[in-house]
Amino acid sequence: MPGYNPQKIEKEWQDFWQAHQTFQADNHSDKPKYYVLDMFPYPSGAGLHVGHPLGYIASDIVARYKRLRGFNVLHPMGFDSFGLPAEQYAIQTGQHPAITTEQNISTYIRQLSALGFSYDWSREIRTSDPAYYKWTQWIFLKLFNSWYNLDTDQAEPLKTLLAKFAQSGSAGIRAAGDEAERHEFTAGQWQSFSEKQRLQAVHPYRLAYQQDTYVNWCPGLGTVLSNDEVKDGLSERGGFPVERRLMPQWNLRITAYADRLLAGLDQLDWPDAVKEMQRNWIGKSQGASVRFPVYLRDASGEMKPQPEEIEVFTTRVDTIFGATFLVLAPELDLTLALGERAAAQADYSPAASRTWSELQAYVKTAVNRSERERQTDVKTVSGAPTGFYVQNPFTLEYVPVWTADYVLAGYGTGAVMGVPSGDQRDWLFATHFALPIRQVLDAQQNLDQQADPTKEGRYINSGFITGLTYDEATEQLRLRLRANRVGEPKVTYRIRDAIFGRQRYWGEPIPIYYKDGVAYGVAEADLPLVLPEIDAYKPTETGEPPLARAQNWKYKGQYDYELSTMPGWAGSSWYYLRYMDPHNAERFVGEEAEAYWQNVDLYLGGAEHATGHLLYSRFWHLFLKDLGLVTAPEPFQKLINQGMILGRSSFVRQMSVDTTWHPGDTEPKFPKIFISSDLIDDSYQVREDKLEYVKKQLNDIGDKIANKLQLNHVRFSSNGVFNRHVEVSYVENDILNIDKFKAWRPENKDAEFIRNENNEYLCDWEIEKMSKSKHNVVNPDDLVERYGADALRMYEMFLGPLEQFKPWNTNGMSGVAGFLKKLWRLYHPQDGPLAVTDAPAEPAELKALHKAIRKVEEDIERFSFNTTVSALMITVNELTALACHKRAILEPLVVLLSPYAPHLAEELWAELGHAPGSISQAPYPEFREQYLVEDTVNYPVAVNGKVREQLQFPAAATAAEIEAAVRATDILARFGEGKEAKKVIVVPGRMVNIVV
């Protein structure tokens, strides 16, 4: 039989698994269930690189291991197939996004299948399939037709709210949401409302509602972008300018679930970092709401009260006596409205006019910065005075109101009281604009250098709380706030309701239509609302979303549909449920299937989804549980964030040269010159000890070019070098394939190379994130073709702990491939026929096997896959040294190997006489401690602490027996200097020490 041939073996077993649906899960089983899931991949056109399968390999190892342990394993795969990239390609080419998406999915399926993953492909789902997004739309309608009852602390169907309206009007109803958006009415008034009036009254209570919202509008892409998709005022995709714009947007009331989302984190087996990110994103703060009356200064300098008050939320109401200014978010309507009124009140004096102009210019600039930029940019201090004032309700001072982009309209009330002595951002702002800094605690120090947020000491310069401690002052202020009717204790959250709409084509249509200007939900019986065909995939000439291009697209032939589509995270917020019952046409998931699988036992994916997908999925799940549609408290019980595999970028070093030539009036087109990396020092100059060598090489190149261009004389002199990325597939062991490099790009065709003395061109290298722009992407297809999928699987696990970032080096693949060949030869010595015998196993062989059984089991249970690979390598080395070819050892070894190298394991398992494809149902080998018990123990024997001899004793020997045996030897005579032994100390299993 020929040697180990992974390419042949792997393709045959992949075909077998597909034909026999080997990994199909059963919704009705007496086995315990185990649901392992990879985060929903988006099928990009680039396909997979070697960094992508890391989590997939880990989850597949767990899935295969759990099958061996007797679990009914659900391990599905599908595709998050709506998305902006396919739509952008459609805009550019006119090709329907569905075609691009289908091609990309085909590539992904081929690549995933080639890696031998044990997915139940019969459950594959795609978010862009109408049969799937019918249920995404159905869930949206449930949200649209529900409200959050604060008395019961859960979502309820709107019919319970309507019953309350009919009985007692709006009085006494405690519902999540913005009370300012709601109307007060009696039961009698409710009864007299028209249908339109009733719907308008109900709308502010809905969990899915429409509201004018500030969004990141990108005209170049024709869509709203999330904060994550904007960087430095430009879209992350395409680099188009982004502006903040107030637009009507659908929102989901995730804020209603803020407390429950926080509390649920304590029950989850998730990384602490992810849970902390969610806690910070939700941002629960306890403090107080304080109302500051607005004042304007007229032309005579007198302060005039205004009807408005500015409400400020603060977690440090104790510092209110140190508030020397107020800051409003630039995007608040109040900012410009009161600013203009202030200029008018002052009769547009030169100073007032200048303030008004500066305010307008600042607001225009500030509102176009994304919230993320404004939150993270702590170094830049900017702002503008508004020209109006507020009165501190306790000091009665008039303090100026400014606007600055470090205050966000969406957090708290969009207004902050500036206390520069206690808050560093306020301190920076006050210092920059020369505003007063007032000390309020005697323990505050170095206020001329920075803010001091201490709560220690006693208050000074603080009116009626002067001399009190923090706890005493806070209690007094809370009492005074209520007594003076200027504020009250309050809890706020940083989290905002989730914008649920994109002005683009390739997404789920929102199942809403409009009648008489009011939003109605499409009837459930009319779902799915399928994407219509349109003539182009960009916004209309008048700026409407692409769906406005659809011809005769109306509900019941007469009502306009909503033209926005759902955001990218809509379909991925519940997909884990659909996998449980993907072909159910009557329900989003069957009750029995959901009750059996309940939730995901192990979820693997990137930490970048902590405050997006993971949070939204938890929100949707809690909502569905409120309606009695799911049973588990959370969607994902255990979460592992795999680290990133970093690319090993390669660089060629191009010389910057000074050139002289003769003759010629214009400079000829000289080729690029590249120099081997080992000829360059750390300062990017030619190494001093290589100067003469490089000079000669340059002269030779000059002579060659002069001859080619028919010039009398060409000379190059080095002026340093610079790095350029090169395609890593052209580099092996840091040696560049020059022919491939020259053929790579037209400008490289005539390049010249200064090689080292070994006639090699060495590249420089650096560890970076894998990306096409860095030319360091390694295609798994190439590695599978060269080394096999099993080798790639094991090598990715061998790189290091799953959660850590790891550099990729293709050179390491050969070591793992060699290990698999070595394992093959335990069964096929000298690559010959199967030579496994039924001879009884020796103690040393049993010891090697059972060490491996224990190690592999322990490591998989704690997801330490890299150490398992090391243990298997050690085991194979030990068995090779023992020339072991015995079934009693090698058969269980195949089972241990199967989660990691499933193709090779299946092949060997079948050769050992088992039914083809049956290794997944094999029992996991049982670990037996008895095989690790040593028959004898080596004892170092020391005289006065210095080891002099090694003696071997039976493992069961007592201390007295060992002492007697040692005394009977000549060790004391040889090393005791003629002295008698005072005592002999025996440490059982460890050593013996003779004291003389």
Side-chain angles (χ1 to χ4, degrees):
M1 181 176 180
Y4 172 50
N5 184 344
Q7 290 75 18
K8 178 177 181 296
I9 289 173
E10 289 171 359
K11 184 64 172 69
E12 289 175 353
W13 283 110
Q14 289 160 14
D15 291 343
F16 179 93
W17 295 332
Q18 182 179 11
H20 292 82
Q21 297 189 333
T22 304
F23 309 113
Q24 189 167 341
D26 191 345
N27 283 358
H28 306 279
S29 175
D30 293 331
K31 296 180 179 180
K33 70 96 179 180
Y34 194 83
Y35 186 176
V36 56
L37 182 62
D38 301 302
M39 282 192 186
F40 224 9
Y42 172 77
S44 72
L48 297 173
H49 64 60
V50 293
H52 293 130
L54 180 67
Y56 302 158
I57 296 169
S59 67
D60 195 59
I61 289 170
V62 174
R64 289 177 177 275
Y65 168 76
K66 288 293 184 179
R67 291 191 192 97
L68 296 173
R69 303 298 307 207
F71 285 84
N72 179 29
V73 175
L74 175 55
H75 187 36
M77 176 52 70
F79 300 96
D80 194 6
S81 49
F82 277 131
L84 193 56
E87 183 164 42
Q88 279 305 110
Y89 186 74
I91 292 172
Q92 295 163 9
T93 65
Q95 178 172 284
H96 198 290
I99 298 173
T100 309
T101 302
E102 180 62 37
Q103 292 170 347
N104 296 345
I105 288 176
S106 296
T107 299
Y108 264 60
I109 290 176
R110 177 185 59 77
Q111 290 185 302
L112 291 170
S113 298
L115 290 170
F117 296 132
S118 60
Y119 293 130
D120 181 354
W121 283 108
S122 70
R123 295 175 184 251
E124 180 199 344
I125 57 178
R126 304 176 183 186
T127 56
S128 57
D129 180 355
Y132 178 83
Y133 70 69
K134 165 186 176 178
W135 297 107
T136 308
Q137 293 171 335
W138 181 84
I139 295 172
F140 173 83
L141 288 176
K142 292 295 182 187
L143 287 158
F144 179 70
N145 291 314
S146 298
W147 68 296
Y148 199 92
N149 188 340
L150 293 176
D151 289 329
T152 60
D153 196 25
Q154 66 177 34
E156 296 178 5
L158 279 179
K159 63 183 180 181
T160 64
L161 178 66
L162 301 182
K164 291 177 182 289
F165 286 166
Q167 182 177 1
S168 54
S170 61
I173 293 177
R174 298 179 64 248
D178 187 354
E179 293 182 6
E181 295 288 323
R182 296 170 184 160
H183 309 291
E184 293 184 4
F185 50 84
T186 65
Q189 290 172 316
W190 172 257
Q191 297 295 343
S192 67
F193 281 172
S194 65
E195 179 185 14
K196 181 176 180 179
Q197 289 174 319
R198 287 189 178 190
L199 289 172
Q200 289 173 331
V202 168
H203 193 78
Y205 291 85
R206 296 182 188 272
L207 288 182
Y209 65 96
Q210 197 175 38
Q211 186 180 62
D212 285 346
T213 307
Y214 276 101
V215 295
N216 301 312
W217 171 250
C218 180
L221 295 176
T223 188
V224 170
L225 301 178
S226 69
N227 289 332
D228 293 343
E229 296 170 316
V230 181
K231 186 176 182 182
D232 299 325
L234 301 175
S235 63
E236 194 169 52
R237 180 171 296 277
F240 296 104
V242 176
E243 60 189 58
R244 297 283 288 171
R245 182 183 291 184
L246 195 63
M247 297 178 65
Q249 287 288 317
W250 283 95
N251 295 264
L252 299 187
R253 210 178 294 281
I254 190 175
T255 50
Y257 287 85
D259 275 325
R260 290 168 64 186
L261 289 169
L262 278 173
L265 290 171
D266 296 334
Q267 311 304 319
L268 298 178
D269 185 5
W270 285 18
D272 290 337
V274 174
K275 292 199 283 190
E276 193 59 26
M277 278 191 278
Q278 289 206 359
R279 291 188 182 102
N280 291 336
W281 189 262
I282 295 167
K284 183 177 182 179
S285 299
Q286 292 185 326
S289 173
V290 185
R291 292 182 289 276
F292 289 75
V294 175
Y295 282 79
L296 301 180
R297 192 190 299 275
D298 65 16
S300 67
E302 185 179 350
M303 287 292 186
K304 299 289 186 180
Q306 302 299 305
E308 293 88 358
E309 290 181 323
I310 295 177
E311 184 180 356
V312 170
F313 173 78
T314 176
T315 58
R316 290 293 304 272
V317 69
D318 58 296
T319 65
I320 194 169
F321 289 92
T324 58
F325 58 94
L326 209 73
V327 185
L328 290 183
E331 60 268 35
L332 286 179
D333 292 338
L334 199 63
T335 303
L336 286 179
L338 286 176
E340 184 176 21
R341 198 192 306 166
Q345 183 80 20
D347 287 340
Y348 291 101
S349 67
S353 295
R354 186 167 54 252
T355 297
W356 170 232
S357 297
E358 291 173 356
L359 176 63
Q360 289 176 290
Y362 182 79
V363 167
K364 184 177 180 180
T365 300
V367 296
N368 283 328
R369 298 186 72 201
S370 72
E371 289 188 3
R372 169 166 290 190
E373 287 179 89
R374 290 162 60 180
Q375 286 177 299
T376 57
D377 183 9
V378 296
K379 295 181 180 180
T380 304
V381 178
S382 67
T386 63
F388 58 92
Y389 298 80
V390 292
Q391 187 178 52
N392 187 315
F394 290 119
T395 68
L396 303 183
E397 294 177 284
Y398 299 111
V399 298
V401 179
W402 289 65
T403 186
D405 64 6
Y406 76 88
V407 180
L408 304 175
Y411 178 59
T413 63
V416 170
M417 67 177 195
V419 184
S421 66
D423 181 274
Q424 185 62 19
R425 269 206 144 167
D426 292 345
W427 186 92
L428 290 169
F429 192 83
T431 303
H432 185 81
F433 290 108
L435 297 170
I437 299 174
R438 181 179 300 152
Q439 184 175 355
V440 291
L441 277 157
D442 59 14
Q444 288 178 316
Q445 298 178 356
N446 305 319
L447 294 182
D448 59 332
Q449 300 173 35
Q450 62 183 8
D452 184 349
T454 185
K455 298 178 182 178
E456 302 299 321
R458 294 183 180 273
Y459 289 87
I460 60 175
N461 304 320
S462 296
F464 62 86
I465 64 169
T466 295
L468 301 183
T469 64
Y470 169 76
D471 289 336
E472 294 167 342
T474 301
E475 183 58 28
Q476 284 293 316
L477 284 163
R478 285 175 179 166
L479 293 172
R480 291 287 185 103
L481 285 171
R482 281 181 168 160
N484 296 353
R485 297 183 179 180
V486 294
E488 55 275 322
K490 190 174 182 180
V491 176
T492 67
Y493 300 86
R494 179 176 290 109
I495 192 172
R496 306 265 59 87
D497 283 342
I499 295 175
F500 196 74
R502 293 288 186 269
Q503 286 65 46
R504 55 178 174 78
Y505 174 75
W506 192 233
E508 300 93 336
I510 295 177
I512 291 290
Y513 67 95
Y514 295 93
K515 183 171 71 172
D516 196 17
V518 176
Y520 287 76
V522 170
E524 292 180 7
D526 293 328
L527 298 180
L529 173 56
V530 179
L531 272 173
E533 294 295 326
I534 56 178
D535 59 353
Y537 305 102
K538 58 186 178 181
T540 66
E541 289 72 15
T542 56
E544 291 180 293
L547 286 181
R549 295 177 175 275
Q551 298 295 314
N552 303 315
W553 192 55
K554 293 180 180 291
Y555 187 57
K556 304 293 186 184
Q558 57 181 321
Y559 302 116
D560 290 335
Y561 282 117
E562 168 63 46
L563 299 180
S564 298
T565 51
M566 296 185 190
W569 52 267
S572 63
S573 291
W574 72 282
Y575 76 110
Y576 61 94
L577 292 168
R578 191 61 178 172
Y579 280 137
M580 298 176 185
D581 196 13
H583 308 298
N584 192 325
E586 304 302 322
R587 204 172 186 272
F588 74 112
V589 58
E591 292 182 81
E592 289 185 13
E594 191 279 331
Y596 177 72
W597 294 110
Q598 293 195 341
N599 62 3
V600 177
D601 296 285
L602 175 64
Y603 199 31
L604 279 91
E608 68 272 15
H609 299 291
T611 56
H613 160 65
L614 289 170
L615 195 61
Y616 296 139
S617 292
R618 294 183 63 218
F619 160 44
W620 279 39
H621 192 93
L622 289 174
F623 167 71
L624 293 171
K625 186 165 178 26
D626 284 350
L627 298 191
L629 298 170
V630 297
T631 55
E634 289 277 348
F636 316 116
Q637 187 55 40
K638 181 173 181 61
L639 172 71
I640 295 179
N641 296 134
Q642 78 270 14
M644 185 183 295
I645 288 184
L646 302 172
R648 194 177 192 269
S649 300
S650 290
F651 300 92
V652 289
R653 289 187 154 179
Q654 183 175 342
M655 297 191 78
S656 175
V657 294
D658 293 326
T659 311
T660 58
W661 72 97
H662 181 78
D665 295 329
T666 58
E667 180 178 357
K669 186 175 181 181
F670 293 115
K672 298 172 182 176
I673 301 176
F674 298 94
I675 184 168
S676 182
S677 178
D678 54 341
L679 302 176
I680 299 299
D681 63 21
D682 292 339
S683 61
Y684 286 76
Q685 300 293 328
V686 176
R687 281 171 44 184
E688 195 169 334
D689 60 330
K690 301 295 182 182
L691 283 173
E692 290 304 316
Y693 173 80
V694 172
K695 185 176 180 180
K696 181 181 184 307
Q697 299 296 313
L698 283 173
N699 288 341
D700 291 346
I701 291 172
D703 292 341
K704 175 183 174 183
I705 292 173
N707 183 57
K708 181 177 180 180
L709 299 179
Q710 296 182 340
L711 299 172
N712 292 334
H713 173 86
V714 175
R715 281 292 175 263
F716 301 106
S717 57
S718 174
N719 193 24
V721 300
F722 56 92
N723 282 346
R724 283 180 50 197
H725 281 94
V726 63
E727 178 62 46
V728 291
S729 61
Y730 302 161
V731 182
E732 186 167 356
N733 294 320
D734 296 329
I735 299 173
L736 177 68
N737 185 317
I738 291 175
D739 291 337
K740 287 184 177 180
F741 179 77
K742 284 186 172 184
W744 182 30
R745 290 177 172 170
E747 63 267 28
N748 297 337
K749 179 182 177 183
D750 298 320
E752 296 289 343
F753 294 83
I754 298 178
R755 312 184 196 208
N756 60 23
E757 288 94 331
N758 297 325
N759 199 34
E760 295 173 336
Y761 184 93
L762 296 183
C763 292
D764 198 4
W765 61 272
E766 186 177 323
I767 301 300
E768 301 179 292
K769 180 180 178 179
M770 276 194 185
S771 72
K772 289 194 293 184
S773 65
K774 300 181 189 301
H775 304 290
N776 63 356
V777 171
V778 179
N779 191 325
D781 296 353
D782 300 335
L783 298 178
V784 169
E785 184 179 346
R786 183 172 179 183
Y787 298 103
D790 285 341
L792 178 59
R793 290 169 62 108
M794 296 199 78
Y795 181 59
E796 293 217 7
M797 294 297 97
F798 187 57
L799 284 173
L802 179 63
E803 296 89 346
Q804 293 182 7
F805 281 37
K806 299 168 280 290
W808 178 266
N809 187 350
T810 299
N811 298 332
M813 284 284 297
S814 58
V816 176
F819 154 71
L820 292 176
K821 290 178 182 177
K822 194 170 190 177
L823 182 138
W824 173 266
R825 291 175 187 136
L826 286 175
Y827 302 79
H828 297 272
Q830 288 81 48
D831 289 332
L834 185 72
V836 176
T837 73
D838 291 323
E842 298 293 330
E845 297 167 336
L846 289 166
K847 180 181 178 182
L849 172 65
H850 283 269
K851 277 195 305 182
I853 293 172
R854 180 170 66 179
K855 180 65 173 170
V856 171
E857 179 178 354
E858 290 176 349
D859 286 352
I860 291 183
E861 292 287 356
R862 57 192 178 93
F863 311 103
S864 179
F865 305 107
N866 60 311
T867 51
T868 300
V869 177
S870 298
L872 289 169
M873 289 177 171
I874 292 169
T875 303
V876 168
N877 286 338
E878 290 176 348
L879 294 176
T880 300
L882 294 169
C884 177
H885 306 294
K886 298 169 182 173
R887 178 182 294 273
I889 303 297
L890 299 187
E891 191 167 88
L893 181 63
V894 172
V895 179
L896 292 184
L897 177 76
S898 62
Y900 289 82
H903 308 88
L904 176 56
E906 287 275 27
E907 182 74 11
L908 294 173
W909 188 250
E911 287 188 350
L912 289 169
H914 299 281
S918 65
I919 198 169
S920 296
Q921 286 75 47
Y924 190 79
E926 181 182 353
F927 167 69
R928 295 189 179 180
E929 182 77 37
Q930 68 197 64
Y931 294 122
L932 302 189
V933 176
E934 303 285 354
D935 293 331
T936 60
V937 179
N938 287 324
Y939 279 83
V941 181
V943 178
N944 283 350
K946 188 171 183 179
V947 175
R948 297 293 190 178
E949 191 72 270
Q950 294 277 343
L951 295 178
Q952 194 173 80
F953 296 102
T958 65
E961 292 170 340
I962 292 171
E963 179 180 347
V966 169
R967 287 183 179 275
T969 67
D970 62 350
I971 292 176
L972 189 61
R974 286 187 287 129
F975 301 107
E977 300 177 357
K979 299 177 183 178
E980 294 293 323
K982 292 182 180 179
K983 57 182 176 179
V984 176
I985 303 170
V986 178
V987 181
R990 299 287 300 279
M991 67 172 297
V992 178
N993 187 27
I994 304 172
V995 182
V996 298

